[in-house]
Amino acid sequence: MINIDLKPLDFAATAAMPADALLLLVPAGFAGTGDAAALVQSALKSGDLPAKGNKALALYKPKGFAQKRVWLVGVDAPSPKDVRASVAGAVAAARQAGAKTLVIGLSALDQLDPAQLEAAVASAADSTYTYNHTKAKAEVSSVQNLTLALTADAVAQLKDAFAVALATAKGVEIAKEWGNRPGNYATPTHLGDAAKAIAKKGKLKCEVMGLAQVKKLGMGSFMAVAQGSAQPLKFIVLQYSGAQPKDAPIVLVGKGITFDTGGISLKPGAEMDEMKYDMCGAASVLGTFAALAEIKPKINVVGLIVACENMPDAGAVKPGDVVTSMSGQTIEILNTDAEGRLVLCDALTYAERFKPKAVVDIATLTGACVIALGGVRSGMYATTDALAAELQSAGERAQDLCWRMPLDDDYAEGLKSNFADVANIAGRAGGSITAAKFLQRFASKFDWGHLDIAGTAWKGGAAKGATGRPVGLLVQFVLAKANAPLQKAVVAKKAAAPKKVAAKA
């Protein structure tokens, strides 16, 4: 990740700071003295710089500014979404111009809250990320150093929020990196090694179990999915201990299908390469734990990653086979391409031993969720209104949006089987919901949430790549559960009460 730092600079100092480029967020009531301020005021007065609308005015070697390239963006009480868009635009323009150093000027804003600062950091990190692991020649962003210029008061009061933003951005990058790696560079064994490396660096506990241990646990559903692959399955357990041992943990469960052919129910060939992203739930758990290791919130968190491939080998599970899950429930596998729920159900049963406050699983589970919500919001299910509200709020704060979906019992009717306790699929209608209803059978002993990230974990086409979602949501969810005080911090330059800006969808 590029170097991002925070500096106490007022408007005049920001304009005078040596750098290749500057993005300046300008409120409608902007005031100041000197050539730089006069230029900004003139642009506002003439209408060349709209007071709002997130439209940029590009300047080259403007009078009063030390930077060669300057972008002015008129903002009126900018939302985190506005800040994110402005920073993304400036970084793209700076990269195109070959700029190495970029300053983001936020000190002119009348007020600044943690969500706006976090949005700026997230956008800068996202806009400068490049994947290089399997390339012969590394490609790097020209922008390698970015400075966020805030007032001295803002820097003092938002330093904790900045630390959270940096840690989260690093976690998002880890999730992106593992999501983007091809299946032969991101096997279950590789994910286990990655978890061990994160644990070692962050002083976490990590256990990576193989087939013999998983068999002893009775995870027959998980093993059934893995039996068609030459790659050995791995069951990864991460533990972050930030509170007393007696305090019940949050458990995060990540689907780690490192490549999904569909098994015997083979997928179409077109875009099958994107099934390397079927482990993005697992990648988000890795990224979240990397962030927590830096933030160090006072809470206990457990991460469970079920990692294997879904392949059509001669030994692969067949449609119509019946397997026994760790819970003792039998499952008729009507479609081997509905494998994510088969690995997650055993992990949910394993989670019971931690007597958790809540369990949230994260999975690229269904194409039906993509049809329902597209790539904007992740599908969110929860067995309690309180947990649903917490996940929704965390997503809004992180600009990592989700939307609550229903869990009516009537949706489970299609999962009935004549030959087992439950079938692994129902009909086509409401596919994301029926998948969640399947998982709910294995989550009756705790408050349970489920994030279907099939539409949000990666992008296809020319912009193909992992997004790192929902690391931002998960970090904010855990911090809120830990009652992190930085959630309440707001910095205002004026005496007026801070104005809360709602995140936009």
Side-chain angles (χ1 to χ4, degrees):
M1 195 172 84
I2 66 168
N3 179 59
I4 303 176
D5 62 0
L6 202 62
K7 288 190 176 181
L9 302 170
D10 60 15
F11 169 77
T14 301
M17 182 179 176
D20 295 329
L22 166 68
L23 166 67
L24 189 66
L25 298 188
V26 182
F30 173 81
T33 59
D35 289 340
L39 189 153
V40 174
Q41 290 160 351
S42 176
L44 283 168
K45 186 176 181 180
S46 68
D48 290 327
L49 176 61
K52 56 183 178 180
N54 201 40
K55 295 183 179 179
L57 175 63
L59 306 173
Y60 183 71
K61 292 185 177 180
K63 186 176 181 180
F65 289 90
Q67 304 84 15
K68 183 185 293 185
R69 293 176 175 84
V70 176
W71 295 277
L72 305 179
V73 176
V75 292
D76 184 16
S79 69
K81 184 178 179 180
D82 293 333
V83 172
R84 190 167 192 133
S86 296
V87 172
V91 171
R95 290 184 68 171
Q96 188 174 20
K100 296 181 179 179
T101 54
L102 174 64
V103 179
I104 307 292
L106 304 172
S107 56
L109 299 180
D110 290 337
Q111 62 184 38
L112 188 68
D113 66 32
Q116 292 167 316
L117 178 63
E118 290 160 10
V121 173
S123 184
D126 182 62
S127 301
T128 53
Y129 168 79
T130 53
Y131 172 80
N132 286 304
H133 188 71
T134 50
K135 294 180 180 178
K137 184 177 181 180
E139 299 175 20
V140 297
S141 165
S142 64
V143 178
Q144 287 296 306
N145 291 284
L146 185 141
T147 298
L148 296 171
L150 282 66
T151 64
D153 286 345
V155 169
Q157 295 183 49
L158 293 178
K159 61 182 180 181
D160 288 340
F162 180 63
V164 168
L166 276 184
T168 303
K170 292 175 183 177
V172 168
E173 186 162 296
I174 287 171
K176 282 184 181 181
E177 183 67 21
W178 282 102
N180 284 330
R181 291 187 184 189
N184 57 329
Y185 284 83
T187 65
T189 300
H190 287 134
L191 290 189
D193 291 342
K196 289 176 183 177
I198 289 170
K200 184 176 181 181
K201 185 176 180 180
K203 297 182 180 179
L204 313 174
K205 290 183 180 178
C206 179
E207 181 181 11
V208 179
M209 304 183 206
L211 178 60
Q213 294 158 296
V214 167
K215 186 175 183 179
K216 188 175 181 180
L217 288 169
M219 292 182 163
S221 187
F222 177 22
M223 290 189 296
V225 176
Q227 70 189 44
S229 174
Q231 291 291 338
L233 62 75
K234 298 296 176 184
F235 183 45
I236 303 164
V237 182
L238 281 162
Q239 290 182 271
Y240 166 79
S241 300
Q244 295 297 317
K246 61 182 175 59
D247 289 354
I250 299 295
V251 178
L252 305 178
V253 181
K255 173 188 172 185
I257 303 298
T258 56
F259 194 83
D260 180 20
T261 66
I264 297 300
S265 305
L266 193 67
K267 292 178 179 290
E271 299 179 346
M272 193 195 284
D273 64 289
E274 293 187 10
M275 288 301 96
K276 69 178 183 177
Y277 294 117
D278 212 16
M279 44 66 69
C280 283
S284 72
V285 173
L286 291 177
T288 298
F289 270 78
L292 295 178
E294 292 199 18
I295 300 168
K296 298 180 174 59
K298 294 181 179 179
I299 191 172
N300 296 329
V301 188
V302 175
L304 305 178
I305 292 174
V306 272
C308 68
E309 289 183 336
N310 185 23
M311 300 291 284
D313 182 80
V317 68
K318 306 175 294 298
D321 283 359
V322 174
V323 298
T324 303
S325 66
M326 185 181 178
S327 70
Q329 298 179 72
T330 58
I331 304 167
E332 183 183 15
I333 301 176
L334 295 178
N335 189 318
T336 65
D337 194 25
E339 85 297 330
R341 66 202 72 180
L342 296 175
V343 302
L344 289 171
C345 70
D346 280 345
L348 290 173
T349 301
Y350 186 87
E352 292 175 7
R353 66 185 55 203
F354 298 102
K355 297 179 172 57
K357 288 180 182 176
V359 176
V360 178
D361 71 70
I362 311 99
T364 49
L365 205 64
T366 65
C369 195
V370 184
I371 300 302
L373 297 174
V376 178
R377 290 180 182 263
S378 301
M380 180 264 286
Y381 299 82
T383 51
T384 70
D385 291 342
L387 179 56
E390 288 167 346
L391 290 169
Q392 188 89 29
S393 177
E396 298 289 341
R397 168 62 185 268
Q399 285 294 290
D400 190 350
L401 306 175
C402 62
W403 190 258
R404 191 178 188 182
M405 303 283 278
L407 280 172
D408 304 61
D409 287 340
D410 290 347
Y411 284 109
E413 287 297 309
L415 294 170
K416 290 181 177 179
S417 167
N418 292 338
F419 308 106
D421 296 322
V422 65
N424 77 322
I425 60 166
R428 287 175 59 85
S432 178
I433 305 170
T434 55
K437 290 303 292 182
F438 176 91
L439 291 175
Q440 189 182 6
R441 294 176 63 97
F442 304 87
S444 61
K445 296 184 179 179
F446 40 72
D447 290 348
W448 168 71
H450 162 58
L451 294 171
D452 191 334
I453 60 170
T456 57
W458 80 92
K459 296 177 181 179
K464 184 186 295 186
T467 63
R469 295 177 66 181
V471 171
L473 183 158
L474 295 173
V475 170
Q476 288 298 327
F477 170 69
V478 171
L479 291 183
K481 280 288 192 183
N483 294 316
L486 61 93
Q487 301 291 306
K488 302 174 184 177
V490 174
V491 175
K493 289 169 63 179
K494 298 181 178 180
K499 180 165 60 176
K500 185 178 180 180
V501 179
K504 300 177 183 177

